């Protein structure tokens, strides 16, 4: 079992917000993550909501700015917030804010100098999942969501593990990273120039050839988001979904931008979406 | 009229969150403040909620971490968040986090080197009030609230302007700064060693000799707040209020600490408290 160091513990609503540090064997560095648990007496086996953050973020951004704990406490949902990349002086980095530390893209890097540490996909789907399951007894149903780079992560992790996650949601996700500047830069660095290898880390490409379980997807995209046209373009994913008859909903949110204020505005609806899908399945 | 520079504008829920900068003639430096306005079509003349933040904070802490916009948008309340002190290289400062920049204590300093800039009381009650009134047409009823040093500020500004503010609330306020380390240090620096001069900036002292309008006060204090015993002690204010038959309620909140998670947990109830007092008066 991974040894966890408790860094913070706060009562919020009638749940508790935690922050932990542990030595990740997958990433080869110490990592922090945050965890919200609803009232144990009311909710003995809560579903688990995974939140993947965007470029430059840590586990703190969603924890401190989304206000999600209010709805999660009311609805009885546990929430786990990983960091966005490996960290530390011995971990490869870039001077750019959209590559390296804070920009792990939720994939397993194959190229140097990134390869030994940048394995966020394995970290989340295996190591941190085992911690949630074994050390916090979070054995309930799971959903996944995220923002921007983390929306990409939620789509890719969710679609590749559709037997595990009941539903996916995202705010302003990078739906087709192989075709936009953020993704092209990151994939060239982490995966190399062979674009065939990029397909398994690209939601739009994954969906084109998808034969797995059709878990529902909800996307919110602000129409005042300055990255909308150049980096995001959810209509690209919606077009593939329509062709494949895949259950995906894109909601354009008038006046909303790329900030956490948009996440705060709709996170309760996302949690309710995930729970409603669960209810439909039972 | 003060020239305002718009730094940020975000749609949040169905209101808008703004951040501005202006040159303060009261403080002799550029200042930022944040402002939330509810949907103008639904709420044409909203009441105005003043929020005063605590030591080390800026206007961003409440704006980003309290989640208050959700309730304010629903209830139709405008919110204004000043910074906590004058700022800048030419403004006196201290190496300590509890004195100087970020620690203005919402008073008018009389001592050097603080006196020319540290006039947060006048800045809030006059200059920023005039901006809210004249430049944003916020002419509705007003309430005031704050956290820790800002709870002290809300109590002092509110009690000294009880004909203007309809009610006061506070999270973990410094209720008797003349008697606790944070207050003694700040008052000695800003006001000098004559303790007679401290009384007008100390809520417990103000209440002892109070003959003004009895506007209701609500205080929330977490019992797991690490500053509770040494710096806060709301029971001191409650004892004076009881003696004077002053309408003050102190709620001890089990397990809650000094963080913004406590503010997030109860801010909706504070807004509802202020509105209910207003309804009682009408």
């Amino acid at each position: 079992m991974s040894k966890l160091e408790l860094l913070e513990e706060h009562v919020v609503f009638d749940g508790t917000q935690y922050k932990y540090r542990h030595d990740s064997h997958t990433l080869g560095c110490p990592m922090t993550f945050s965890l919200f648990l609803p009232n144990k007496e009311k909710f003995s086996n809560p579903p688990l909501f995974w939140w993947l953050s965007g470029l430059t973020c840590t586990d703190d951004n969603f924890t401190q700015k989304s206000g999600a704990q209010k709805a999660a406490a009311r609805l009885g949902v546990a929430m786990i917030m990983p960091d966005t990349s490996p960290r530390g002086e011995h971990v490869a980095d870039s001077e750019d804010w959209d590559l390296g530390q804070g920009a792990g893209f939720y994939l397993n890097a194959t190229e140097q100098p990134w390869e030994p540490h940048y394995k966020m996909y394995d970290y989340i789907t295996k190591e941190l999942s085992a911690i949630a399951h074994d050390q916090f007894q979070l054995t309930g149903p799971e959903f996944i969501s995220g923002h921007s780079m983390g929306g990409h992560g939620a789509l890719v992790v969710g679609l590749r593990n559709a037997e595990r996650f009941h539903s996916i949601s995202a705010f302003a996700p990078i739906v087709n990273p192989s075709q936009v500047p953020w993704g092209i830069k990151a994939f060239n660095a982490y995966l190399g120039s062979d674009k065939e290898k990029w397909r398994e880390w690209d939601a739009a490409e994954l969906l084109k050839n998808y034969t797995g379980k059709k878990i529902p997807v909800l996307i919110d995209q602000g129409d005042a988001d300055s990255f909308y046209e150049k980096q995001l373009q959810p209509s690209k994913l919606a077009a593939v979904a329509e062709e494949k008859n895949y259950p995906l909903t894109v909601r354009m949110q008038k006046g909303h931008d790329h900030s956490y204020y948009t996440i705060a505005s709709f996170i309760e609806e996302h949690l309710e979406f995930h729970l409603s899908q669960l209810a439909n399945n039972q």
Side-chain angles (χ1 to χ4, degrees), chain A:
Chain A
M1 295 238 272
S2 193
K3 191 181 164 196
L4 302 179
E5 178 188 359
L6 179 64
L7 302 178
E8 289 185 40
E9 178 177 353
H10 308 280
V11 171
V12 57
F13 297 96
D14 71 340
T16 310
Q17 181 64 56
Y18 302 93
K19 184 180 174 84
Y20 289 97
R21 182 164 48 209
H22 70 120
D23 288 324
S24 166
H25 60 81
T26 309
L27 303 177
C29 65
M31 290 291 286
T32 62
F33 67 91
S34 289
L35 179 71
F36 170 80
L37 295 180
N39 185 321
K40 280 178 193 173
E41 290 173 19
K42 288 190 202 167
F43 305 102
S44 57
N45 189 28
L48 179 59
F49 174 83
W50 287 80
W51 175 267
L52 307 185
S53 285
L55 289 165
T56 77
C57 289
T58 68
D59 53 309
D60 287 338
N61 299 66
F62 181 83
T63 306
Q64 296 179 355
K65 294 183 176 180
S66 72
Q69 292 93 348
K70 181 171 191 176
R74 176 175 67 80
L75 297 166
V77 175
M79 303 192 293
I80 190 161
M81 284 69 77
D83 199 350
T84 55
S85 77
R87 303 270 182 186
E89 285 186 12
H90 67 297
V91 172
D93 200 5
S94 150
E95 289 186 354
D96 302 344
W97 59 272
D98 54 2
L99 189 69
Q101 296 187 31
F105 271 83
Y106 305 104
L107 49 70
N108 293 331
T110 54
E111 302 304 297
Q112 297 306 321
W114 313 103
E115 182 274 324
H117 296 290
Y118 283 73
K119 298 189 178 303
M120 286 299 289
Y121 180 80
D122 280 353
Y123 171 68
I124 285 165
T125 58
K126 295 175 186 170
E127 184 173 358
L128 195 55
S129 293
I131 289 173
H133 190 278
D134 300 342
Q135 300 192 239
F136 295 98
Q137 291 76 52
L138 291 164
T139 58
E142 295 175 272
F143 335 115
I144 191 161
S145 184
H147 176 228
S148 196
M149 175 184 75
H152 143 74
L155 289 164
V156 167
V157 172
L159 289 171
R160 290 177 58 157
N161 298 274
E163 297 299 324
R164 173 175 162 190
F165 295 100
H166 289 252
S167 44
I168 301 171
S169 74
F171 292 83
I174 308 170
V175 300
N176 193 189
S178 306
Q179 302 290 335
V180 300
W182 278 338
I184 291 168
K185 179 174 177 176
F187 285 9
N188 261 312
Y190 299 142
L191 303 171
S193 58
D194 177 0
K195 294 193 177 182
E196 271 306 302
K197 293 183 182 168
W198 296 10
R199 297 165 73 96
E200 60 179 327
W201 304 109
D202 182 310
E205 294 299 322
L206 282 172
L207 206 58
K208 279 181 193 165
N209 302 299
Y210 193 73
T211 56
K213 187 177 167 187
K214 290 183 172 177
I215 58 173
V217 178
L218 172 66
I219 291 175
D220 272 324
Q221 173 63 57
D223 70 1
D225 183 329
S226 57
F227 300 113
Y228 170 44
E229 287 291 341
K230 194 171 172 193
Q231 306 278 9
L232 306 173
Q233 302 172 42
S235 60
K236 281 194 179 180
L237 192 65
V240 182
E242 191 174 2
E243 198 175 291
K244 300 277 291 185
N245 197 27
Y246 192 96
L248 177 140
T249 303
V250 176
R251 308 190 306 189
M252 294 303 296
Q253 300 291 0
K254 189 169 156 42
H256 279 276
D257 62 20
H258 203 66
S259 73
Y260 264 82
Y261 293 109
T262 298
I263 297 168
S265 299
F266 300 106
I267 190 64
E268 182 170 15
E269 292 180 14
H270 281 233
L271 290 173
E272 287 172 340
F273 159 77
H274 289 289
L275 289 177
S276 71
Q277 298 308 319
L278 197 60
N280 290 347
N281 290 346
Q282 283 173 341

